[in-house]
Amino acid sequence: MGITVREALQLGGLREAKVVAGEKGLDRIINYVLTMDVPDAPKWNRGGELLLTAAYVFASSPEVEENFVKELVDKNSAALAIKPGRFINTIPSSIINSADENNFPVIELPINVSWHDIVNPVLTEIINKETSQLKRSKLIHDELMTVLFHGGGLNSIAKSLASLLNCTVFIINESFNLLAYFTNSGPFDELINEVLDKKIIPLKVIKELRDKKILDELKTYKKPCIVHIKSIPNSFPRVMVPIVMDDEIYGYICLVENNKKITEHDVIATEQASTIAALELFKQQAIKEAKGKSKKEFLDNLITGHVDNINLIRNQLKLHGIYLKEKIVVMVISMKYEDAVEIECNNFKKIEQVIGSENTNYVIFRRGGNVIIIYSMSSHLDLHKRHEKVSALTKAILNQLKDCETAKIGISDLIHTISDIPKGYYQAKRALAIDETLKNKFDNVFYYKDVWIYDLLTNKNSKADLIKYCDENIFKLMEWDSKNNDENLLTTLAVYLENMGKCNITSNKLYIHRNTLNYRLNKIKEILDCDIDDPSTRLRLEISLKIADVIK
């Protein structure tokens, strides 16, 4: 926190001095001023010293000249000021040569300058600078604490810091998304413009930070780091200060040198700001978790039917930024528990990429090993288009979840009011449960409209009860098929009934000739001993076939 050798040369008796070697080191920092006239003086140094000598040590011990400057450099001393004329006439060439090699300033003092004329002005300037810095640090601290106590968020922190340091400030999270910023009146480089436009640090810049091991350094030491970006030409230098909570990095404050050089004191101030930013992020995280818990509890109560007041449901949905439209469908995605938790931890991004994260006409949440989607559509869409939309959405979601090998979706019927959401949840769950009974007959998408009859048949009915309602002749068909593998009479009857007795469609779906179909239908009529085109008989047979699916 001292002053540079260059600054010291403008003070007191040093104004009459001249630099005879090591001019490239004039920006070395002076923290102390000491007089020295013993051969082993360097070993007592702590760093940052301006050493004053009348050169008695060189006159009395000439052998120390050769390594003297190197020892001072190793101790990180600031400069050596020699006053020739009393013990030596000129500064030894070995001292000058070594100083030039190490960029270590050597200053020649006039014979008439006293130590008092040097020590007092330099130390006074160091103390004044430190006092000024302490005042500035307090000002910055007070400003930032005012922001904190008045509930100012990250934007207020960025604004205060940018105003205090006179530079552009960005606050980003650990994924390099822009959280807050404030720009000064200085010029913008291409990187500033791109970050402001995209709200995220460009991938090529992140790659550069990784390749240069800058991110590794930040994560290991959790200390500020100066960054010179090369992947975007003519970028201003930047300083990245990590925001740390519980020894983990949650983001960074970035200072941009677009108006002035960032000083050590600016970095110290930013470290103070990073502590305030960490508290703000912690507060935001706590609020988010509390809201998330409240939202999840409400949605659990909603789908299980523990909330039935429509106005209360609407108000709670609105509170969480959810605006469901007139036509609603409930989807339950069943998967491994670990997969469901991982999807939730990633904020359901895979699913939102399909639905659209900007939309407010849906809600996604996890319940155990299931991910539940309550999705709504406008009543302006006709029934066919709504079905097409749900079908396309389901396929796209499953494609996104292809890494989850066990993922299956149960889909409710269309419901017309938010108070019927529990009914929709029941239907979607039952569609999945019936899949287990039917041994995956309907692949990995299950519409309740396709399986409702199985729900009716299996609900509180044992297999023994179901057999009572099954036409006994269906079992004769099953027996016939077991002995005649090529004829598949049971399947033929099912497809025939599904297609309203239309022979052309039935034969096409079974990939058989029309004559083959006629033969099979005659054989079916013979075994069943009934008119399969009679409406009442057909209904009984259709229900019997469903029962056969359940019990076989």
Side-chain angles (χ1 to χ4, degrees), residues 409-423:
I409 303 183
I411 304 167
S412 74
D413 289 342
L414 199 65
I415 54 182
H416 305 283
T417 174
I418 54 177
S419 61
D420 281 339
I421 287 175
K423 177 182 175 182

Side-chain angles (χ1 to χ4, degrees), residues 455-470:
D455 186 25
L456 174 66
L457 295 172
T458 58
N459 191 12
K460 299 180 181 179
N461 287 318
S462 66
K463 287 188 177 181
D465 292 330
L466 289 175
I467 290 174
K468 296 177 184 177
Y469 299 103
C470 184

Side-chain angles (χ1 to χ4, degrees), residues 223-319:
K223 295 292 183 182
C225 186
I226 299 172
V227 178
H228 297 276
I229 301 299
K230 302 297 182 184
S231 53
I232 297 182
N234 304 315
S235 293
F236 297 119
R238 284 156 167 80
V239 176
M240 293 181 68
V241 180
I243 300 171
V244 182
M245 285 189 291
D246 294 329
D247 205 38
E248 292 290 330
I249 293 179
Y250 282 75
Y252 304 91
I253 298 179
C254 297
L255 309 179
V256 184
E257 287 189 357
N258 63 329
N259 204 41
K260 71 175 187 67
K261 183 176 177 59
I262 303 297
T263 67
E264 178 186 353
H265 308 307
D266 294 336
V267 175
I268 293 171
T270 307
E271 287 183 292
Q272 290 180 320
S274 74
T275 303
I276 307 298
L279 291 172
E280 176 61 25
L281 286 174
F282 180 79
K283 182 180 77 173
Q284 289 183 4
Q285 183 175 327
I287 292 172
K288 184 178 179 181
E289 288 176 358
K291 284 184 176 178
K293 185 178 179 181
S294 170
K295 178 180 177 181
K296 196 167 184 179
E297 287 177 355
F298 162 70
L299 292 171
D300 270 344
N301 288 328
L302 174 61
I303 62 173
T304 54
H306 290 100
V307 184
D308 55 8
N309 185 299
I310 291 181
N311 288 331
L312 177 60
I313 294 172
R314 284 197 181 118
N315 289 336
Q316 284 290 318
L317 289 172
K318 184 178 179 181
L319 180 66

